[in-house]
Structures are given as structure tokens and as C-alpha cells.
Amino acid sequence: MDSRTVALIRTTFKAVAAEDGGPEQLARSFYSILFTDYPQVRDYFPAAMDAQRDRLVKAISFALDRLEEPDKLLPFLAQLGRDHRKYGVQPIHYVAVCNSLKTAISQFAGTELWTDEVARAWDEGLATISGAMIEAADKETTPPVWTGRVVEIREVLRNLSVVRLKLDEPMQYAAGQYLSVQVPSRPRMWRYLSPANPANEHGEIEFHIRSVLGGWVSPAMVSHTAVGDQWLLGSPLGGLGVPRNTKRKMLMIACGTGIAPLRAQVIAMAQRRVNPQVHLFVGGHHPCDLYDLEILSTLAMANKWLTVTPVTESDENPWWFDAATAVPADLPGLEPRLTGQIGKVVAAYGSWADRDVQIVGSPSMVQTTKFRLMAAGVQAVNVRHDPLF
């Protein structure tokens, strides 16, 4: 696409999104049109659409921001195309989605903004996006979905559990990637989880799951999962990872269960002969949120290239936490625990201009930490994180 086509698409979308309640209303309008004009598509979506509508707008924004960066956009779209096979999506469904989205945007844009040239620009943009997804799905030879049985559940905190599965067929994923997961009690409600271990030939996989208050899926994963349950897993997504033979030092920053994809990478790196220096900051609100310190201590003791610094916003645990289960504060191999907001602590720790940076956590934590590092001299091109949706 040329620069004018990209500009027309972005201008239209931003004008629609800038209206009061624009993103939410656009998503509602899109799904209303889609389900009215193509009623057979409704069965592919969950009964509760709130989270789905929110992800739609964020995914569109993410793609539109990268229309002029095909080296970043096309691999992302290819991953989405492979992942969407789990729904049983066919090319005709992409046509339905593109037509409905174009109709919804044209209705919001109005006759003054929605010209024939704008319509052609959207046709080209949507064709590029859907074409990349369809092509990747057609070329893929791996299963559209993997099944796995829960073999172990360990309650770490009252709202956080470690769940281990044995896949019926091993899955190849890069340490640091994430997967869409569906549990039996929440059909058609897929949620993204990051494996905390590298892929292995036995199909063993571990997830760290925190129950989100008011969430549709995570409370069921934490509180209602039983050994023997069958979970479904989609294709790997995401681009985090440390390339082999890289000489760039690494800065890794995680909050809460965000430690999972970074721990998987560190474990994978420990199997290599040579690695760059890695400084890993792991944070939480309370000391008890640093639930994985014993594993990190073992890794740091065995690998001199790894430095691990714990960070908490509070020095005290919540009233409900059982102190008898607390992880020792003086584990070998770990730096002394620091207190403060993790982004602020890391940015003030020293200069990271010579590092490649990975950040994993909530969208607000990722954005805040990224901005603090950039203000301290880190180049944005050296900072990586998964899409914030």
C-alpha cells in the first residue's frame, strides 16, 4: 500500500474512534452488522461479547499502526491466521468480517468523510490483512488445535495457581511466546496464556494463572480446574525471545505472572553454551507475589550470566497471606529486594542504553515502564513487548 492509502485508512479510523464512545460503539455496530448479515457466523463467538469487542478495536488499532511496517505486521497477521484455524474459520468468513467492518466504519464516518477514494483504500487495506491471514492458514501443516489433560494443579496464592498439562501431541513454540487456551467450563471463551517452560518432546506445559476479579474465564481456570480436565490450545503467538548467538545484553522486566514467558526464555538459554548477560527484574505488589523466586534462585546460581532483582511496591504482605508459606527473603543468587514501582525502580537503577529490553505484565505496567525507560535514554526500537490486547 502507498502512503496515501495508509493515511486515508488511519484518518478514517481515528476520526471514528475519536467520537464520544467511538471505539465501543464501532465494535457494537460491527458485530450487529456481522451477525445480522451473516447469522451463521454467530456460533463462532462466545455468548458474552464484552471482552471480544474490546479486543477487536485494539487489534485493529495495532494493525493500522503498522501498515507501513510489513516486516512487523505480516508476521503478526500470519500468526493470527494460523491461530484462527482453531475456530474452523474459512476464507468466506474473512469476507463477511471485512464487509461488515467496512460497513460499520462507513456508517460512523458519514458521507463527508467516506468518499469513493476512502472506500477503495479500506478495500485494499482489509484485503492485505485478510489475505496475509488466509495465506498463512493455508500453508500451515500443524494441528489447528492441541488438546491437553491437566496433570497437576498447585495453589500458589489464593488467587493464583500453577497448572501443568500433558499435551496429546507435542507442540513446538519458542520460549517467550503465548497461546490461546479454552477450558471446558467456558466454551468459545479463549484466553491468552504464556507457557512458563520451553517446549519439549513430551508435550509438558506449565501455566501460571491469576484470577482476575470479575473476569469471565480466569476465575474458572484458578478455582474450578480439576486433574483430568481437557484443555484446548491454539497456535503459538508473539515474538519475544532471545536469538541464539546474540551479543546484546538483555534487560527483562516482569510483574506477577508476567514472569512465565521470561522464565521460559531463561530456562531455554540455560541449555545453550554461550549467553549474553541478562538482568531480570521481577515485581509484585507484595512480597508474596514473588511466588517463583525459588526457581529463579536456582537458575541464577547455576548461570553466572543471569542477575535477578526482586522488586515490590510494599514491604508487607496482605493480611490474608499465611506467613508460614512465605518464600525465604534471603535466597542465594538473588540481589537484595528493592521497594517501589517497578518501572521507576528499573529506570533509576542505571543506564540500560546498551540493552535489548523485554517487558511483560499488565498493559498499564508495560506502557509505564516503557515510557520511563525511554525517558532514561533507552531507544524505543530496543524495547519489546507483546501486543497490549
Side-chain angles (χ1 to χ4, degrees):
M1 286 179 288
D2 59 35
S3 58
R4 178 164 178 80
T5 299
V6 172
L8 289 171
I9 294 172
R10 286 179 177 165
T11 300
T12 314
F13 184 75
K14 289 180 179 179
V16 170
E19 296 182 13
D20 186 27
E24 180 180 355
Q25 292 302 317
L26 173 62
R28 288 183 179 277
S29 177
F30 161 72
Y31 282 113
S32 176
I33 294 168
L34 178 65
F35 297 155
T36 299
D37 293 350
Y38 306 90
Q40 70 277 11
V41 175
R42 183 64 181 89
D43 289 341
Y44 291 89
F45 293 87
M49 292 290 295
D50 291 349
Q52 184 71 30
R53 283 191 289 265
D54 183 55
R55 282 200 297 269
L56 169 74
V57 175
K58 290 180 179 178
I60 294 173
S61 299
F62 182 86
L64 296 188
D65 285 343
R66 288 156 181 80
L67 285 176
E68 292 178 303
E69 301 176 280
D71 57 323
K72 294 181 179 180
L73 177 60
L74 294 180
F76 170 74
L77 293 176
Q79 287 185 348
L80 280 185
R82 290 189 288 267
D83 181 58
H84 274 59
R85 294 177 302 142
K86 66 177 183 271
Y87 301 113
V89 171
Q90 301 297 320
I92 189 64
H93 298 129
Y94 286 96
V95 174
V97 167
C98 291
N99 289 343
S100 300
L101 181 59
K102 180 182 172 184
T103 300
I105 292 175
S106 67
Q107 290 178 353
F108 273 79
T111 55
E112 290 188 9
L113 186 58
W114 191 262
T115 64
D116 289 342
E117 186 181 16
V118 169
R120 288 193 296 270
W122 273 94
D123 284 337
E124 184 176 348
L126 292 172
T128 298
I129 292 172
S130 61
M133 294 176 68
I134 292 170
E135 181 180 5
D138 287 343
K139 290 181 177 179
E140 188 58 38
T141 58
T142 62
V145 66
W146 282 259
T147 57
R149 295 284 178 182
V150 175
V151 295
E152 183 183 354
I153 309 159
R154 178 166 59 91
E155 184 181 277
V156 178
L157 299 171
R158 69 174 187 175
N159 64 343
L160 193 155
S161 293
V162 170
V163 179
R164 295 191 176 99
L165 292 88
K166 179 74 164 56
L167 301 183
D168 296 332
E169 180 179 345
M171 174 193 293
Q172 290 301 314
Y173 58 87
Q177 288 192 296
Y178 59 97
L179 317 169
S180 54
V181 176
Q182 178 185 278
V183 297
S185 60
R186 295 293 185 269
R188 291 182 291 173
M189 288 186 166
W190 296 81
R191 289 297 181 269
Y192 295 127
L193 298 177
S194 296
N197 63 301
N200 62 69
E201 61 183 6
H202 306 294
E204 300 160 339
I205 192 165
E206 176 181 308
F207 294 117
H208 298 180
I209 308 168
R210 186 183 296 276
S211 175
V212 178
L213 185 63
W216 282 95
V217 178
S218 61
M221 288 179 165
V222 170
S223 302
H224 303 297
T225 292
V227 171
D229 283 355
Q230 184 183 72
W231 288 17
L232 302 181
L233 294 82
S235 296
L237 300 163
L240 294 184
V242 180
R244 288 182 177 272
N245 303 319
T246 181
K247 296 182 179 179
R248 290 274 296 180
K249 297 178 181 178
M250 290 293 306
L251 169 63
M252 294 180 168
I253 309 167
C255 259
T257 57
I259 189 58
L262 301 187
R263 190 187 83 164
Q265 291 181 64
V266 170
I267 293 174
M269 294 172 70
Q271 300 169 9
R272 304 175 185 173
R273 300 178 106 186
V274 179
N275 284 298
Q277 291 294 312
V278 176
H279 198 141
L280 168 61
F281 287 83
V282 55
H285 292 291
H286 308 285
C288 65
D289 291 321
L290 306 181
Y291 61 91
D292 213 38
L293 286 186
E294 291 178 299
I295 297 294
L296 297 179
S297 169
T298 300
L299 288 167
M301 288 290 289
N303 300 281
K304 300 307 180 185
W305 45 264
L306 175 63
T307 301
V308 179
T309 303
V311 182
T312 58
E313 295 185 18
S314 171
D315 290 327
E316 302 295 330
N317 280 316
W319 62 269
W320 49 261
F321 180 70
D322 182 1
T325 64
V327 175
D330 57 348
L331 290 170
L334 303 182
E335 298 289 296
R337 181 171 59 83
L338 304 177
T339 304
Q341 196 276 333
I342 191 167
K344 188 174 183 180
V345 168
V346 176
Y349 193 92
S351 174
W352 304 108
D354 63 338
R355 305 267 177 153
D356 283 337
V357 183
Q358 293 187 28
I359 311 173
V360 187
S362 68
S364 60
M365 172 267 177
V366 171
Q367 290 284 42
T368 300
T369 303
K370 180 178 180 179
F371 290 150
R372 287 189 181 278
L373 290 174
M374 290 170 61
V378 175
Q379 296 295 312
V381 70
N382 294 329
V383 180
R384 288 191 293 156
H385 55 80
D386 287 322
L388 302 178
F389 57 85

